[in-house]
Amino acid sequence: DATIEFRLFRGTLNMTTLRATLQLVDVLLDVAKTRSIAWIARSSWLDIIEAGFQHPELMTYLDKRGLAYGPLSDQILNDRRGN
């Protein structure tokens, strides 16, 4: 039985950051379990972000850091802002 350990993030006491990082791990696990190796090999950061659009803290976290971009992420963030 194989185990994968994620060590991507620094520690934080900020609950929004903690939720966002856990949501990113959830998206990465979902992509790994449901997508083909070929899809993963040709995917981009935007493809991964679009897979995580249902996570509000993650989208806000990425937007604040300039990491969420593209038509879908813009639409999601604008909808959340009421634009």
Side-chain angles (χ1 to χ4, degrees):
D1 215 10
T3 300
I4 297 174
E5 182 176 339
F6 281 96
R7 289 191 181 210
L8 299 173
F9 314 107
R10 297 183 339 186
T12 184
L13 297 176
N14 183 313
M15 286 305 293
T16 302
T17 300
L18 179 60
R19 283 187 192 104
T21 55
L22 291 175
Q23 290 170 354
L24 178 58
V25 170
D26 181 55
V27 169
L28 294 174
L29 290 172
D30 185 59
V31 166
K33 290 191 299 188
T34 62
R35 306 294 178 139
S36 69
I37 297 293
W39 185 92
I40 292 169
R42 70 175 181 272
S43 65
S44 68
W45 175 244
L46 183 57
D47 296 323
I48 303 300
I49 296 307
E50 288 179 353
F53 76 91
Q54 73 277 13
H55 295 298
E57 290 89 359
L58 175 58
M59 294 304 293
T60 301
Y61 179 88
L62 295 174
D63 182 48
K64 284 183 180 177
R65 286 153 182 81
L67 298 171
Y69 57 88
L72 179 59
S73 60
D74 289 345
Q75 177 186 349
I76 293 161
L77 292 166
N78 285 334
D79 289 348
R80 292 191 60 234
R81 291 181 188 128
N83 295 339

